[in-house]
Amino acid sequence: MAYYNREPEITNMIKSHESRANRILQHAQSSRLLEAFNKIWVSIENKELPNFVSKNVMDFNVADIKSEINDWIKDLKDCQENARRKFESMEDPSPEDLRKRNNITSDVVLLISQYENLKNGLDQVEQDFSNVARTHRAPMREALTDISILYNSVNHVKGDFSDYKNVSVYVHGIEDSGKGFYESVKEAAQKGDVIVRIVKNGKNEYEYEYIYINSDGQSIKRKTYEAIKKEISKDNYKTGRLHIVYDTDYMNEHRQATSDDLAEKLNEMGLMNEETKIDMFGHSYGGRRSLQFAMDYPDHVRSITTIGTPYDKNLLATGANRARWLADNAAGRKTTDTSDYLDFNEENKNNDNGKDYSNAYTDMDSEAMTDDINHLKSANPEVYQKLQKMDITAAAGYRTEDTVSFSPYYTASGKHKINSDDIVSVESQHGDILGDLIDEKPEFEVEGSGVTNSGHIHEIRDSDFIDLIRKVNKKEAE
């Protein structure tokens, strides 16, 4: 840009904008924001703006700054329009008048282009800041939950469900909601039990559904827990087991995000205490989520029971994560549908239009659960020892198919076992990579075939698995 040819109107306007830019930067205290402004200001004025950054706290709103820059653009356009009108009002404009109008027009076009580039740069600053903030928000949230749990314990703060000593928590996978578990749990629950389903509504808020299994074995559904307690008092029945069917914020959210949110909800309910023992049940990726919760809160978890859980890396997740456009458009996977959680592990991140994210697909693509277990052994062997003492059952689903022979000398009929549920191998479902942590490895034959109607999606409603839920709950209560 030819700085020496600028007309006084443009020069004065730039000085005004520079003054306003300095006020913005002095208030914001952000070196990253200063960098974005200087990148443009060197092109405009061949100099950098003063560095006002002296604090560690950043305070700026990108939308407000962009609105300010839009005002600058309007100033320039008004200047150009005034120059045009003045020139056209002249009866006999001189070559100098023409040169002045053309200079102003040229400068305005170039300056507006630079200001638009600055706005684009601000979008990147905002995205970078958001990504960094989300990376650090996860451990902060976990720490605040831990403080809340400790506060409730020291001050004997009780929630509505503090009297329950035997609690089952059911965590779904990434291709479904808690609805499948909800139906299975209603079959597995015993007389005197209470079922609570925690569901996310359309307003991005949690709602609670309550069911009580009375002494006649009937399911009594009520809108509030107070109403459920009245039904319990009618029965004069001893307190049974509390079943919590939990829906994640996002179907594909990362296991750590689920663990953090679940801990917060259970603490609000009064269940994160020294007496209450939690038995975790997980289907598919819900098993990873359950194991993560157990690693985070080992003193509160008594057992883990999973079915169809990909404890190892998963080929389908790898394909979905690396060809997201295909998985999203052709298979409706919503691979970027995720919470704001961002993993510290660089390999467990992905990017969508500038936004870094981590979810179930990135997790299963980059990390087998044995990686976290090995880290845990080194960093916190006491927690690993607590995991060893837990009852951990890793159930696997399998299918059978008709025997097919292509030999003219051999014909056979009947069924033969397929060592896969079409989605997750039996070896991965059994958690073989977890070593001596797994105590039992039952197998159940499941329905379904292929990827679209795989045995995997039928596991959670399988009668053998429902029976396993009953057995585990009875055993752990005893």
Side-chain angles (χ1 to χ4, degrees), residues 430-448:
H430 276 165
D432 288 352
I433 62 170
L434 300 183
D436 61 356
L437 287 184
I438 306 299
D439 301 299
E440 296 184 41
K441 301 179 180 181
E443 295 184 14
F444 305 129
E445 183 177 358
V446 294
E447 300 176 354

Side-chain angles (χ1 to χ4, degrees), residues 366-424:
S366 66
E367 200 166 79
M369 287 302 291
T370 187
D371 295 343
D372 273 15
I373 296 299
N374 288 334
H375 295 156
L376 188 66
K377 280 183 181 180
S378 303
N380 202 332
E382 289 185 4
V383 172
Y384 180 75
Q385 290 172 4
K386 291 175 181 178
L387 288 179
Q388 286 183 306
K389 294 178 181 178
M390 292 179 195
D391 292 331
I392 304 182
T393 299
Y398 72 89
R399 295 189 305 103
T400 58
E401 288 187 350
D402 289 323
T403 301
V404 178
S405 173
F406 297 99
S407 171
Y409 307 104
Y410 174 77
T411 57
S413 60
K415 302 274 188 179
H416 70 282
K417 184 177 178 181
I418 303 295
N419 286 324
S420 170
D421 66 358
D422 301 301
I423 300 294
V424 186

Side-chain angles (χ1 to χ4, degrees), residues 195-376:
I195 303 172
V196 179
R197 186 181 178 193
I198 306 176
V199 190
K200 205 70 178 289
N201 65 18
K203 300 178 181 178
N204 211 33
E205 299 171 340
Y206 277 106
E207 293 179 348
Y208 296 80
E209 299 175 2
Y210 304 91
I211 287 181
Y212 169 61
I213 311 299
N214 68 12
S215 56
D216 295 326
Q218 296 176 322
S219 295
I220 309 297
K221 188 173 182 179
R222 295 292 181 264
K223 293 183 178 180
T224 66
Y225 183 56
E226 289 299 319
I228 287 291
K229 287 196 289 188
K230 291 180 181 179
E231 295 296 331
I232 295 174
S233 63
K234 288 179 186 177
D235 256 352
N236 194 25
Y237 209 73
K238 67 177 182 178
T239 301
R241 176 175 285 269
L242 177 65
H243 303 265
I244 298 175
V245 182
Y246 169 78
D247 274 18
T248 59
D249 265 347
Y250 295 81
M251 290 172 65
N252 298 338
E253 74 181 17
H254 190 278
R255 53 189 158 92
Q256 185 64 62
T258 299
S259 177
D260 294 342
D261 189 58
L262 184 57
E264 185 179 320
K265 295 291 176 293
L266 295 180
N267 189 47
E268 290 172 358
M269 297 172 76
L271 297 171
M272 300 295 281
N273 57 63
E274 295 179 359
E275 290 79 25
T276 298
K277 297 303 176 186
I278 299 172
D279 300 304
M280 304 290 299
F281 293 85
H283 173 238
S284 190
Y285 189 77
R288 281 188 173 228
R289 290 166 169 158
S290 299
L291 183 56
Q292 183 67 55
F293 181 83
M295 288 191 289
D296 293 339
Y297 302 96
D299 293 326
H300 300 278
V301 177
R302 178 169 54 193
S303 72
I304 306 172
T305 303
T306 65
I307 186 168
T309 291
Y311 285 106
D312 208 339
K313 294 182 182 180
N314 185 268
L315 289 176
L316 278 177
T318 297
N321 190 44
R322 299 184 184 183
R324 285 171 287 138
W325 63 272
L326 181 62
D328 292 344
N329 295 328
R333 288 290 193 251
K334 298 183 180 179
T335 54
T336 59
D337 177 24
T338 178
S339 67
D340 276 346
Y341 178 80
L342 189 57
D343 201 308
F344 275 99
N345 181 358
E346 288 294 334
E347 294 181 355
N348 203 359
K349 295 179 183 179
N350 217 325
N351 188 279
D352 183 52
N353 293 324
K355 177 184 178 181
D356 290 334
Y357 69 90
S358 302
N359 63 7
Y361 288 107
T362 59
D363 183 33
M364 288 190 293
D365 178 16
S366 66
E367 200 166 79
M369 287 302 291
T370 187
D371 295 343
D372 273 15
I373 296 299
N374 288 334
H375 295 156
L376 188 66

Side-chain angles (χ1 to χ4, degrees), residues 89-214:
S89 67
M90 296 178 179
E91 292 184 3
D92 186 21
S94 67
E96 179 64 21
D97 293 328
L98 178 62
R99 183 193 63 77
K100 182 180 180 69
R101 188 205 66 174
N102 290 343
N103 281 348
I104 290 176
T105 298
S106 177
D107 281 346
V108 166
V109 170
L110 288 171
L111 286 167
I112 288 177
S113 174
Q114 294 288 8
Y115 286 166
E116 290 293 345
N117 289 337
L118 176 56
K119 289 198 295 181
N120 292 334
L122 293 178
D123 288 335
Q124 186 60 52
V125 170
E126 183 178 42
Q127 191 64 70
D128 292 346
F129 180 75
S130 175
N131 287 333
V132 171
R134 286 187 295 113
T135 301
H136 293 281
R137 188 181 301 144
M140 179 64 71
R141 182 185 178 190
E142 186 176 359
L144 290 173
T145 299
D146 290 344
I147 291 171
S148 179
I149 292 171
L150 179 62
Y151 176 86
N152 288 358
S153 175
V154 171
N155 293 278
H156 307 289
V157 177
K158 289 193 171 184
D160 290 341
F161 300 88
S162 298
D163 292 335
Y164 284 92
K165 306 308 174 195
N166 296 302
V167 178
S168 294
V169 176
Y170 304 84
V171 186
H172 62 81
I174 63 175
E175 302 296 346
D176 57 4
S177 66
K179 184 177 180 181
F181 256 134
Y182 193 42
E183 298 302 319
S184 297
V185 170
K186 284 191 285 187
E187 291 184 44
Q190 304 297 301
K191 296 176 182 178
D193 289 359
V194 171
I195 303 172
V196 179
R197 186 181 178 193
I198 306 176
V199 190
K200 205 70 178 289
N201 65 18
K203 300 178 181 178
N204 211 33
E205 299 171 340
Y206 277 106
E207 293 179 348
Y208 296 80
E209 299 175 2
Y210 304 91
I211 287 181
Y212 169 61
I213 311 299
N214 68 12

